[in-house]
Amino acid sequence: MRNKVTILGAGPAGLWTALSLQEKYRDIEITVIEEEDFPGGITGSFQYKDMIFDYGSHRLHPATDPDLLKKIEDMLDGDLLKRPRNGRIWLEGRFISFPLKPADLLFHLPFSFSSGVVLDSLGSLFKREKEGITFEDTLLAGLGKTISNRFYFPYARKLWGLPQAELSPVQARKRIASGSIGKMVRKAFSSLKGASGDTGIFYYPRGGFGQIAQVTASIIKKHGAGIRYNTKAISVIPPANEKKGLIETEDGGKIETDFLFSTIPVTDFVRILEPAAPPSVTEAADGLSFRSMVFCFLEVKGSQYTSYDAHYFPGADTCFSRLSEPKNYSLAEAPTDRTGLCFEIPCSGKDEIWKLSNDKLLELVIGDLKKTDLPKPEIAGFTIRRKKNVYPVYDHDFADRLNIIEGYLGTLNHTVSLGRQGLFVHDNTHHTIEMGVAAAGCLSSDLHWDRKKWADYRELFDSHVVVD
Ligand SMILES: Cc1cc2nc3c(=O)[nH]c(=O)nc-3n(C[C@H](O)[C@H](O)[C@H](O)COP(=O)(O)OP(=O)(O)OC[C@H]3O[C@@H](n4cnc5c(N)ncnc54)[C@H](O)[C@@H]3O)c2cc1C
């Protein structure tokens, strides 16, 4: 009888665990369980009328490992486009290019901002880069008062819902690649020289970002894995010694398994374990939070709204943090008379905005858009989607809580949590794909899990820094 491996979640981490296991072992029976009706998790795309939308701006970054990039290119068979980045940020009442460039900070912003950056930079010449005790002091040390107070602190509060002093310094290390003026200058020079890791380009599938997940899912299905969509895992008995594990699903299904990978939010995973995890573990899970996001998708008249792929809005004056125009990513020509816009509104599931009716949300977005220089869109239609777990929030207690949870998960047999939500990390798509590949590499054909090798990979994952 074939060994059975079950994977919870058909996002990039789950799909690539399945794909890599199939490539290694043809004799394992693989089942992927996904609560949505499409693959890709938040990297998925959906069709609205004759347009393809992603769940917020998604790009495959050039930091992707070259072998992995080549593999994705081959899988997409000519559909992976290499595109120049063309983003802007709304800062101090005007647009400048994003990612930030020193020249813009110096010459295209109000004098008080530019002179502040110069003074902060002079001061930073005599300081060593170091991680502080909070997100706030780490950024102040690296970027100085001006960029921190007038850009990153409001942006952090908007994205993660906490003031800078309440965020862990790990958030700065993981989320802000240019965490010092020195790094920002080096990055600007290396992109000028076209060095590898170039920040000036990105990769994007012709059929929407979700095409990567769709193609991956169809390959693993072709090779015999089962993917059950619309199937939510609601209870998990992990495999123990010679006994199979059992996953129960919301539709009344029961799936036996010899090995289990979970890529669903680790906070949910510990709550559905049977027997129940100790109270210290569920309390730790209760103490961890994810930010949620409301996506407002507009169908707008005209073939193009602006020539930019994304606009970033760090300030509290607008409810949205980013606006993207999918046609400018995919080079799609159709429809010729309309284009799509996606507004990302970060929030908590307890916020009013999360519960607002669709019409009220549209009103809010359009009202806030008027506060910027962007043209008034002629709206032909709109749709709203909500996602509960988008950004992990790193407050000062998150690491201790996560340690408690991971310590407990480490005692379970044949059960591994991975992926962005499974490890409570901020990682990019390429990072989570690499996690799936790494996880498959730690499992032998007789289902021996190499804990040492996985621990080494976890150290490597710890060095991931998110690219925006
Ligand atoms: C707004 C936004 C923009 C981003 N932009 C970029 C970008 O430009 N470039 C980039 O590289 N990365 C980007 N990312 C990050 C990228 O989306 C993630 O790295 C990636 O989605 C993580 O994949 P994953 O498989 O680990 O998790 P997920 O994609 O979250 O997959 C988890 C899956 O589990 C499913 N699930 C959850 N609970 C259950 C359950 N009980 N039963 C069954 N299934 C369940 C979910 O439906 C989901 O499909 C962005 C993220 C966000 C939020």
Side-chain angles (χ1 to χ4, degrees):
M1 229 180 31
R2 296 200 299 163
N3 279 326
K4 291 184 178 176
V5 173
T6 306
I7 299 164
L8 304 186
L15 291 174
W16 283 75
T17 305
L19 181 72
S20 309
L21 280 174
Q22 278 183 333
E23 286 170 352
K24 273 166 68 93
Y25 313 118
R26 287 284 176 211
D27 56 346
I28 288 183
E29 189 181 322
I30 299 170
T31 307
V32 183
I33 297 177
E34 169 56 52
E35 80 172 302
E36 300 278 3
D37 60 359
F38 60 89
I42 200 143
T43 69
S45 302
F46 70 95
Q47 182 142 5
Y48 172 78
K49 298 186 186 171
D50 49 359
M51 286 185 239
I52 307 272
F53 279 119
D54 299 337
Y55 290 89
S57 163
H58 268 87
R59 328 161 183 265
L60 191 65
H61 291 289
T64 306
D65 171 76
D67 292 337
L68 176 59
L69 185 61
K70 168 84 177 59
K71 185 165 178 162
I72 298 173
E73 251 163 2
D74 291 346
M75 282 165 59
L76 265 63
D77 196 18
D79 270 356
L80 193 68
L81 307 167
K82 184 174 177 179
R83 306 277 297 120
R85 272 193 84 132
N86 190 17
R88 296 195 294 181
I89 183 166
W90 179 247
L91 200 55
E92 307 273 325
R94 64 195 74 185
F95 281 115
I96 59 167
S97 51
F98 189 80
L100 294 181
K101 293 196 179 109
D104 279 328
L105 294 174
L106 294 178
F107 303 117
H108 296 135
L109 285 172
F111 179 72
S112 66
F113 197 105
S114 311
S115 55
V117 172
V118 171
L119 288 176
D120 295 344
S121 310
L122 291 174
S124 76
L125 287 178
F126 305 101
K127 285 190 201 144
R128 294 238 319 265
E129 281 176 31
K130 63 173 173 59
E131 190 163 291
I133 296 169
T134 66
F135 177 88
E136 180 176 31
D137 58 19
T138 305
L139 249 67
L140 284 173
L143 290 167
K145 277 191 300 205
T146 312
I147 301 179
S148 300
N149 287 331
R150 291 163 78 166
F151 166 42
Y152 273 115
F153 292 164
Y155 202 22
R157 187 170 197 136
K158 190 172 195 176
L159 292 180
W160 304 309
L162 286 179
Q164 58 273 11
E166 289 177 35
L167 287 168
S168 156
V170 183
Q171 185 102 355
R173 173 158 53 88
K174 298 272 178 195
R175 278 300 269 110
I176 298 175
S178 299
S180 72
I181 291 181
K183 277 188 195 155
M184 206 179 274
V185 172
R186 283 195 291 277
K187 216 166 160 185
F189 272 113
S190 71
S191 69
L192 276 180
K193 285 190 292 186
S196 65
D198 188 349
T199 52
I201 60 123
F202 67 98
Y203 297 91
Y204 191 84
R206 213 180 287 281
F209 200 77
Q211 192 180 351
I212 300 177
Q214 288 152 17
V215 169
T216 315
S218 73
I219 294 173
I220 64 175
K221 265 178 118 169
K222 200 168 101 196
H223 292 154
I227 306 185
R228 297 198 191 177
Y229 294 110
N230 292 315
T231 307
K232 180 176 180 171
I234 53 163
S235 142
V236 167
I237 302 175
N241 301 322
E242 294 304 297
K243 253 182 105 189
K244 287 187 188 299
L246 186 72
I247 295 124
E248 289 192 49
T249 58
E250 205 169 39
D251 56 5
K254 289 188 191 335
I255 297 148
E256 284 193 333
T257 195
D258 298 299
F259 202 99
L260 176 70
F261 289 104
S262 171
T263 71
I264 72 173
V266 68
T267 43
D268 290 348
F269 185 56
V270 295
R271 289 189 193 104
I272 62 172
L273 285 172
E274 293 284 343
S280 59
V281 176
T282 46
E283 276 161 27
D286 291 342
L288 291 180
S289 62
F290 284 95
R291 285 287 271 176
S292 305
M293 189 165 273
V294 179
F295 298 92
C296 176
F297 300 97
L298 300 191
E299 179 194 9
V300 166
K301 290 185 188 158
S303 66
Q304 192 180 45
Y305 178 63
T306 77
S307 59
Y308 294 90
D309 46 44
H311 293 90
Y312 296 77
F313 299 89
D317 53 336
T318 55
C319 61
F320 40 84
S321 54
R322 184 160 49 189
L323 156 63
S324 47
E325 186 169 355
K327 261 183 156 182
N328 294 344
Y329 289 63
S330 67
L331 293 178
E333 282 169 12
T336 49
D337 58 342
R338 280 157 301 123
T339 184
L341 300 180
C342 168
F343 293 84
E344 298 168 34
I345 307 172
C347 59
S348 133
K350 295 180 191 128
D351 289 348
E352 270 309 298
I353 207 163
W354 177 257
K355 300 168 204 152
L356 228 49
S357 71
N358 291 358
D359 288 340
K360 286 265 175 248
L361 269 166
L362 178 65
E363 225 175 85
L364 190 68
V365 165
I366 297 305
D368 282 357
L369 195 59
K370 285 187 191 142
K371 299 175 188 164
T372 74
D373 272 357
L374 285 166
K376 184 169 185 259
E378 245 195 282
I379 299 167
F382 81 103
T383 181
I384 305 281
R385 304 259 168 136
R386 295 170 179 81
K387 289 269 180 192
K388 238 174 91 192
N389 305 305
V390 293
Y391 300 133
V393 179
Y394 283 10
D395 60 16
H396 291 300
D397 297 323
F398 96 91
D400 291 342
R401 291 182 169 130
L402 199 54
N403 273 337
I404 294 173
I405 295 173
E406 297 212 324
Y408 178 68
L409 292 181
T411 65
L412 303 179
N413 262 323
H414 282 197
T415 304
V416 173
S417 182
L418 73 152
R420 176 170 149 121
Q421 308 197 57
L423 295 181
F424 202 70
V425 289
H426 292 272
D427 291 18
N428 288 120
T429 306
H430 60 282
H431 296 133
T432 58
I433 290 178
E434 282 163 19
M435 284 179 195
V437 177
C442 293
L443 193 68
S444 66
S445 60
D446 62 353
L447 303 191
H448 170 75
W449 177 249
D450 190 334
R451 283 179 188 264
K452 164 81 181 69
K453 201 168 168 188
W454 184 242
D456 291 345
Y457 275 125
R458 290 292 306 271
E459 266 186 45
L460 196 72
F461 303 160
D462 199 39
S463 66
H464 290 167
V465 176
V466 172
V467 194
D468 263 317

